[in-house]
């Protein structure tokens, strides 16, 4: 149920000029009550005919991941043939692989089932220890909450960083994270599971334009630099400076999309310092120069925009065929 709730919740929070950014439809092979692993029945109103014509199809992970319903496989193949964007959360990748949609593609799944997926589908280019992967029009995420990151990535692709970060704030989740970030399989999380430095991360987000360093973060958190580095990595999967750099690049993207600031102004306001630094980091993360990024994703009124080929040009209707048991 958590897998299925993620896209419905996040896509449902997208509003563009006061109108819904997505129409989300939940469907299953057999409409009606569907049992879940949580012991509750879920009432699904639509059959798989809802997949036809959908811009985006999201397959939630289920308890029967190794034996997907043949009707789901048929629906997935049909959607792919029609040019729909296809995504999976957690073990939903097994059905995508069974449908032949991951052959020769980079993909991921929940780390505990990676070996099984590799054994059953050796033609899939499985990526180790990442949150999500996009290969063309097909996206896969690792376990559970990584589906949040995948959906925010989709929203950002369709509507830009400002909209995606607004949704993240409304849902009280982290801003858009890079897909290559670790699944945290090797670093045990502390009991608070990421809460002990939440106030420091929030403070840093409000001071990204300042020359923050490890000493500043440690002083705010009231700990030593060594303790900060160790516990910060345990909570986020990255070092404090890596986290700061990612947030600054994301802030720069948002400013490029939503303001007319010159490049040096964007660099200063995001904490990247200079236009050269902005160019270097943005190229490394997106493959685009700042001017090319602004040209592609500018959200200012009256500005021409061009979405990447991986994303639809119009708001996407999201269908979520799944089978839970």
């Amino acid at each position: 149920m958590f897998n299925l709730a993620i896209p419905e919740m996040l896509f449902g929070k997208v509003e563009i000029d006061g109108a819904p950014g997505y129409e989300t439809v939940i469907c299953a092979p057999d409409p009606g009550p569907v049992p879940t692993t949580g012991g509750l029945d879920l009432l699904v109103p639509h059959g798989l005919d809802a997949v036809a014509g959908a811009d985006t199809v999201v397959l939630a992970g289920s308890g029967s991941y190794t034996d997907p319903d043949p009707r789901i496989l048929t629906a997935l193949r049909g959607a792919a043939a029609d040019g729909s964007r296809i995504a999976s959360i957690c073990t939903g990748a097994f059905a995508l692989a069974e449908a032949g949609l991951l052959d020769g593609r980079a993909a991921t799944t929940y780390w505990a089932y990676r070996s099984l997926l590799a054994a059953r589908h050796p033609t899939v280019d499985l990526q180790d220890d990442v949150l999500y992967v996009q290969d063309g029009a097909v996206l896969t995420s690792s376990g559970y909450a990584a589906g949040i990151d995948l959906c925010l990535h989709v929203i950002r692709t369709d509507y830009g960083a400002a909209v995606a970060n607004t949704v993240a704030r409304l849902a009280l989740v982290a801003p858009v994270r890079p897909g290559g970030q670790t699944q945290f399989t090797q670093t045990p999380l502390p009991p608070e599971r990421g809460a002990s430095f939440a106030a420091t991360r929030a403070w840093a987000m409000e001071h990204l334009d300042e020359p923050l360093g490890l000493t500043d973060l440690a002083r705010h958190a009231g700990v030593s630099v060594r303790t900060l580095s160790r516990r910060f990595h345990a909570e986020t999967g990255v070092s404090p400076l890596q986290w700061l750099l990612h947030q600054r690049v994301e802030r720069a993207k948002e400013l490029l999309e939503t303001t007319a600031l010159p490049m040096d102004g964007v660099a200063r306001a995001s904490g990247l310092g200079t236009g050269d630094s902005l160019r270097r980091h943005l190229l490394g993360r997106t493959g685009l120069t700042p001017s090319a990024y602004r040209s592609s994703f500018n959200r200012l009124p009256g500005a021409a925009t061009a979405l990447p080929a991986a994303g639809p040009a119009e708001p996407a209707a999201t269908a979520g065929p799944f089978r839970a048991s």
Side-chain angles (χ1 to χ4, degrees), residues 263-298:
M263 298 309 170
D264 284 341
V266 171
R268 288 193 298 271
S270 61
L272 291 174
T274 66
D276 287 341
S277 177
L278 169 66
R279 179 185 177 88
R280 182 174 67 256
H281 288 299
L282 200 65
L283 266 173
R285 296 295 182 95
T286 69
L288 297 174
T289 64
S291 58
Y293 185 91
R294 173 170 274 170
S295 176
S296 295
F297 293 100
N298 198 316

Coordinates of all heavy atoms in Angstrom, one line a residue, residues 263-298:
M263 N 24.1 34.9 -14.9 CA 24.8 33.6 -14.4 C 25.6 33.9 -13.2 O 25.6 33.0 -12.2 CB 25.6 33.0 -15.5 CG 24.8 32.7 -16.8 SD 23.4 31.6 -16.4 CE 22.6 31.6 -18.0
D264 N 26.3 35.0 -13.1 CA 27.1 35.2 -11.9 C 26.2 35.4 -10.7 O 26.5 35.0 -9.6 CB 28.0 36.5 -12.1 CG 29.2 36.2 -13.0 OD1 29.6 35.0 -13.1 OD2 29.8 37.1 -13.5
G265 N 25.0 36.1 -10.9 CA 24.1 36.2 -9.8 C 23.5 34.9 -9.3 O 23.3 34.7 -8.1
V266 N 23.2 34.0 -10.3 CA 22.7 32.7 -9.9 C 23.8 31.9 -9.1 O 23.5 31.3 -8.1 CB 22.4 31.9 -11.2 CG1 22.1 30.4 -10.8 CG2 21.2 32.5 -11.9
A267 N 25.1 32.1 -9.6 CA 26.1 31.4 -8.9 C 26.3 31.9 -7.4 O 26.4 31.1 -6.5 CB 27.5 31.6 -9.6
R268 N 26.2 33.2 -7.2 CA 26.3 33.8 -5.9 C 25.1 33.4 -5.0 O 25.3 33.0 -3.9 CB 26.5 35.3 -6.0 CG 27.8 35.8 -6.5 CD 28.0 37.3 -6.3 NE 26.9 38.1 -7.0 CZ 27.0 38.5 -8.2 NH1 28.2 38.3 -8.9 NH2 26.1 39.2 -8.8
A269 N 23.9 33.5 -5.6 CA 22.7 33.3 -4.8 C 22.6 31.8 -4.4 O 22.0 31.5 -3.4 CB 21.5 33.7 -5.6
S270 N 23.2 30.9 -5.1 CA 23.1 29.5 -4.8 C 24.3 29.0 -4.0 O 24.4 27.8 -3.6 CB 23.0 28.7 -6.1 OG 24.2 28.9 -6.9
G271 N 25.3 29.9 -3.8 CA 26.5 29.5 -3.1 C 27.6 28.8 -3.9 O 28.5 28.3 -3.3
L272 N 27.4 28.8 -5.2 CA 28.4 28.2 -6.0 C 29.6 29.1 -6.4 O 30.6 28.7 -7.0 CB 27.8 27.6 -7.3 CG 26.9 26.4 -7.1 CD1 26.2 26.0 -8.4 CD2 27.6 25.2 -6.6
G273 N 29.4 30.4 -6.0 CA 30.5 31.3 -6.1 C 30.6 32.1 -7.4 O 30.3 33.3 -7.5
T274 N 31.1 31.4 -8.4 CA 31.4 32.1 -9.7 C 30.6 31.4 -10.8 O 30.2 30.3 -10.7 CB 32.9 32.1 -10.0 OG1 33.3 30.7 -10.3 CG2 33.7 32.7 -8.9
G275 N 30.5 32.2 -11.9 CA 29.9 31.6 -13.1 C 30.6 30.4 -13.6 O 30.0 29.4 -14.1
D276 N 31.9 30.4 -13.5 CA 32.7 29.2 -14.0 C 32.4 28.0 -13.1 O 32.3 26.9 -13.6 CB 34.2 29.5 -13.9 CG 34.7 30.5 -15.0 OD1 33.9 30.6 -16.0 OD2 35.8 31.1 -14.9
S277 N 32.3 28.2 -11.8 CA 31.9 27.1 -10.9 C 30.5 26.6 -11.2 O 30.3 25.4 -11.2 CB 32.0 27.6 -9.4 OG 31.6 26.6 -8.5
L278 N 29.6 27.5 -11.4 CA 28.2 27.1 -11.8 C 28.2 26.3 -13.0 O 27.6 25.2 -13.1 CB 27.4 28.4 -12.0 CG 26.0 28.2 -12.6 CD1 25.1 27.4 -11.7 CD2 25.4 29.5 -13.0
R279 N 29.0 26.7 -14.1 CA 29.0 26.0 -15.3 C 29.6 24.6 -15.1 O 29.1 23.6 -15.6 CB 29.9 26.8 -16.3 CG 30.0 26.1 -17.7 CD 31.0 26.9 -18.6 NE 31.2 26.2 -19.8 CZ 30.5 26.3 -20.9 NH1 29.4 27.2 -20.9 NH2 30.7 25.7 -22.0
R280 N 30.7 24.5 -14.4 CA 31.4 23.2 -14.2 C 30.4 22.2 -13.4 O 30.3 21.1 -13.9 CB 32.6 23.4 -13.3 CG 33.4 22.1 -13.1 CD 34.8 22.4 -12.5 NE 34.6 22.8 -11.1 CZ 34.8 24.1 -10.7 NH1 35.1 25.0 -11.6 NH2 34.7 24.4 -9.4
H281 N 29.8 22.7 -12.4 CA 29.0 21.7 -11.6 C 27.7 21.4 -12.3 O 27.2 20.2 -12.2 CB 28.6 22.4 -10.2 CG 29.8 22.4 -9.3 ND1 30.5 21.3 -8.9 CD2 30.5 23.4 -8.7 CE1 31.5 21.6 -8.1 NE2 31.5 22.9 -8.0
L282 N 27.1 22.3 -13.0 CA 25.9 22.0 -13.7 C 26.1 21.1 -14.9 O 25.3 20.2 -15.2 CB 25.2 23.3 -14.3 CG 23.7 23.2 -14.6 CD1 22.9 22.9 -13.3 CD2 23.2 24.5 -15.2
L283 N 27.2 21.3 -15.6 CA 27.6 20.4 -16.7 C 27.8 19.0 -16.1 O 27.4 18.0 -16.7 CB 28.9 20.8 -17.4 CG 28.7 21.7 -18.6 CD1 30.1 22.2 -19.0 CD2 28.1 20.9 -19.7
G284 N 28.5 18.9 -15.0 CA 28.7 17.6 -14.4 C 27.5 16.8 -14.0 O 27.4 15.6 -14.0
R285 N 26.4 17.6 -13.5 CA 25.2 17.0 -13.0 C 24.1 16.8 -14.1 O 23.4 15.8 -14.0 CB 24.6 17.8 -11.9 CG 25.4 18.0 -10.7 CD 25.6 16.7 -9.9 NE 26.4 16.9 -8.7 CZ 25.9 17.0 -7.5 NH1 24.6 17.1 -7.3 NH2 26.7 17.2 -6.5
T286 N 24.1 17.7 -15.1 CA 23.0 17.6 -16.1 C 23.5 17.4 -17.5 O 22.6 17.1 -18.4 CB 22.1 18.9 -16.0 OG1 22.9 20.0 -16.5 CG2 21.7 19.2 -14.6
G287 N 24.7 17.7 -17.8 CA 25.2 17.6 -19.1 C 24.9 18.9 -19.9 O 25.1 18.9 -21.1
L288 N 24.3 19.9 -19.2 CA 23.9 21.2 -19.9 C 24.7 22.3 -19.3 O 24.9 22.4 -18.1 CB 22.4 21.4 -19.7 CG 21.5 20.4 -20.4 CD1 20.0 20.7 -20.0 CD2 21.6 20.4 -21.9
T289 N 25.0 23.3 -20.1 CA 25.6 24.6 -19.6 C 24.4 25.4 -18.9 O 23.2 25.1 -19.2 CB 26.1 25.4 -20.7 OG1 25.1 25.8 -21.6 CG2 27.2 24.6 -21.5
P290 N 24.7 26.3 -18.1 CA 23.7 27.1 -17.5 C 22.7 27.8 -18.5 O 21.5 27.8 -18.3 CB 24.4 28.2 -16.7 CG 25.7 27.5 -16.3 CD 26.1 26.7 -17.5
S291 N 23.3 28.3 -19.6 CA 22.4 29.0 -20.6 C 21.5 27.9 -21.3 O 20.4 28.2 -21.6 CB 23.3 29.7 -21.6 OG 24.2 28.9 -22.2
A292 N 22.1 26.8 -21.6 CA 21.3 25.7 -22.2 C 20.2 25.2 -21.3 O 19.1 24.9 -21.7 CB 22.2 24.6 -22.7
Y293 N 20.6 25.1 -20.0 CA 19.6 24.6 -19.0 C 18.4 25.6 -18.9 O 17.3 25.3 -18.9 CB 20.2 24.4 -17.7 CG 19.3 23.8 -16.6 CD1 19.2 22.5 -16.5 CD2 18.5 24.7 -15.9 CE1 18.4 21.9 -15.5 CE2 17.6 24.1 -14.9 CZ 17.6 22.7 -14.8 OH 16.7 22.2 -13.9
R294 N 18.8 26.9 -18.8 CA 17.7 28.0 -18.7 C 16.9 27.9 -20.0 O 15.6 28.1 -19.9 CB 18.4 29.3 -18.5 CG 17.4 30.5 -18.6 CD 18.1 31.8 -18.2 NE 18.0 31.9 -16.7 CZ 18.6 32.8 -16.0 NH1 19.4 33.7 -16.7 NH2 18.5 32.9 -14.7
S295 N 17.5 27.8 -21.1 CA 16.7 27.8 -22.4 C 15.7 26.6 -22.4 O 14.6 26.7 -22.9 CB 17.6 27.6 -23.6 OG 16.9 27.5 -24.8
S296 N 16.1 25.4 -21.8 CA 15.2 24.3 -21.8 C 14.2 24.3 -20.8 O 13.1 23.8 -21.0 CB 16.1 23.0 -21.7 OG 17.0 22.8 -22.8
F297 N 14.5 24.9 -19.6 CA 13.6 24.7 -18.5 C 13.0 26.0 -17.9 O 12.4 26.0 -16.9 CB 14.3 24.0 -17.3 CG 14.6 22.6 -17.6 CD1 15.9 22.2 -18.0 CD2 13.6 21.6 -17.5 CE1 16.2 20.9 -18.3 CE2 13.9 20.3 -17.8 CZ 15.2 19.9 -18.2
N298 N 13.2 27.1 -18.6 CA 12.7 28.4 -18.1 C 11.2 28.4 -17.9 O 10.5 28.1 -18.8 CB 13.1 29.5 -19.2 CG 13.0 30.9 -18.5 OD1 12.1 31.2 -17.8 ND2 14.0 31.7 -18.9

